[in-house]
Amino acid sequence: MTVTTQQDTSKSSYYLTTPIYYVNGVPHLGTAYTTVAADALARFNRMDGKDTWFLTGLDEHGQKVAQSAEANGMSPQEWVDGIAPRFKEAWKMLNISNDDFIRTTEERHIKGVQQFCETLYQNGYLYKDTYEGWYCLPDETFFADDQTVLIEGQRVCPDCGRPVEFVCEENWFFKLSAFQEPLLELYEQQPDFVCPQTRRNEVVSFVKGGLKDLSISRTTFNWGIPLPFDPSHVIYVWVDALINYITAIGYGSDDPIMQAEFARRWPAELHFVGKDIIRFHCVIWPAMLMAAGIEPPQKVFAHGFLLTKGEKMSKSRGNVMTPSELVRIFGVDAYRYYFLSDVQFGADGSISIERMLQVYNADLANSWGNLCSRVLNMTQKYFDGVVPDLWPKTIAKLTEEMGNPLAQIVQAEEGLYQRYAKAFGQVDYSGALSSVLELCNRANLYVEESAPWNLAKAAVAEKSEMQAAGLDEANATAPTASDRLAFVIYNSLEAIRVMALLFAPVMPATSAEVWQRLGLGDVLEIDDLAKQVCWGLLPAGNKVDTGEPLFPRLQLDDIE
Ligand code: MSP
């Protein structure tokens, strides 16, 4: 990879990753969930001034991928080359802003993985032995006898419940058992290393229970990266895959620019993972890094599963809705909003199309979309589509007379931005979104309470009264009805500007659209969010555009 963008090295680096996905299938709601969540956080951090680097990619080696290729009559390389564009297209459709996309079949990765394994070997953490035990192919995981479950005479995987196969091979092993104490120390010193807390407890008690050495190579197939010191072995797919987090940012590169990039970006701030792969990320990965003399990441956040009718979604269960179907019905931003607002991040969450419709109509069509439509339409109707101007003195008087609940929400001491940023800091999307929706609902209420349509009528009546009395409205000392109307419209537009900013990490396309409609520019690109979430920054005189409804109401009939 070449670094093409000019980086601002004075800013602190914020490096976050998703798991790299297996290419035995195409993207689905589960993989899209992790990716959308990571994207929203990456976007928030960019807007908040951090020099963000967001990585996603593909896990292309291993027996499972090789089997999928075979089943489809292709070579593994042909197969992965055919699937990779499907992921790239899906992430484009979901407006994912990843800065890099790593594939484990790329040269930069292969070179780094070999260097890493060579280092483990040189450091004395690898040895050869015979592995005898079980292997779950769908999960690409080794299990000892006592870890598997016996159901009707068949051994199955304790995690996914599918049959495991017996493996007896001479393999290379990693001395994972040597890292029990260092790992427990890590969890102690970095209490946030595993999040949320329930997962941390799970990991700590697992490690306290003792660690077995890990088989890190295979010899019965060859779709993988050869061990540099024993090329008849290919590196175990999980070891290969985990190392992507460092090879993507320059580990193993001879290029000094990439070496500097690695020094600057690592350790990562955050690895996003699903709860199914937490042991790999919170036990094996930090131990591998320690063995290679590299610092572990700052944090691993494990989210729950999306469930449909109480079950994990999977192809074999036949309960899969595809991201593209839902995006076609609801639009990309509504898709992103639904999964991040309605499922408490970290816990399992039930999803359904009926619920998605409900959330779409309530939060997006009736609240956010409706607010934008009505306020922009009124700006058009009463002010020829121009953001009204008020003298500061008049504003002070009007605030005293009428109050300004929207400014209060934005400007309060523990105000909107603080609550929102804190929620993002805790990877609490629903918390962040509900604080914005609160402002949105308050703004709709404000419009109802202030009834600009009545103020407009009063302004017309007042004008003709003044004309009849030979008075000039411009000379009036007390605020007039048209000042009140301008005040209400300005406040509503300003609240919309603030909401467009705060919704942007989750709904980037509609926020950019609203930004444009407010006459604020064609792109919404800022890096000082805290400063922008401040009352009164919408320039008076801006020409606004009403446009089409952002989220047209939908009914069940529309989606069947
Ligand atoms: N290739 C490994 C990861 C290697 S990372 C060094 C892998 N790939 S995967 O394709 O199976 O993707 C797993 C990830 O997809 C999960 O950890 C989770 O992030 C996401 N999900 C897959 N199904 C899911 C749900 N039903 N619900 C939510 N997310 C789930 O494991």
Side-chain angles (χ1 to χ4, degrees), residues 19-22 28 30-31 33-34 59 238 241-242 244-245 273-274 276-277 281 303-306 312-313:
I20 50 170
Y21 305 110
Y22 289 128
H28 52 74
T31 44
Y33 181 54
T34 321
D59 191 352
W238 264 103
L242 287 162
N244 93 88
Y245 299 132
V273 298
D276 50 336
I277 55 176
H281 284 82
H303 63 72
F305 281 147
L306 298 178
K312 187 185 172 204
M313 259 175 349

Side-chain angles (χ1 to χ4, degrees), residues 18-24 28-35 58-60 64 87 138-140 237-245 272-278 280-281 303-307 311-314 348-349:
T18 70
I20 50 170
Y21 305 110
Y22 289 128
V23 287
N24 60 314
H28 52 74
L29 290 189
T31 44
Y33 181 54
T34 321
T35 314
L58 297 177
D59 191 352
E60 301 191 341
K64 177 159 77 166
F87 275 86
D139 288 351
E140 297 274 19
V237 63
W238 264 103
V239 168
D240 167 346
L242 287 162
I243 302 171
N244 93 88
Y245 299 132
F272 263 116
V273 298
K275 65 177 186 180
D276 50 336
I277 55 176
I278 195 145
F280 290 102
H281 284 82
H303 63 72
F305 281 147
L306 298 178
L307 310 171
E311 282 185 330
K312 187 185 172 204
M313 259 175 349
S314 75
D348 287 349

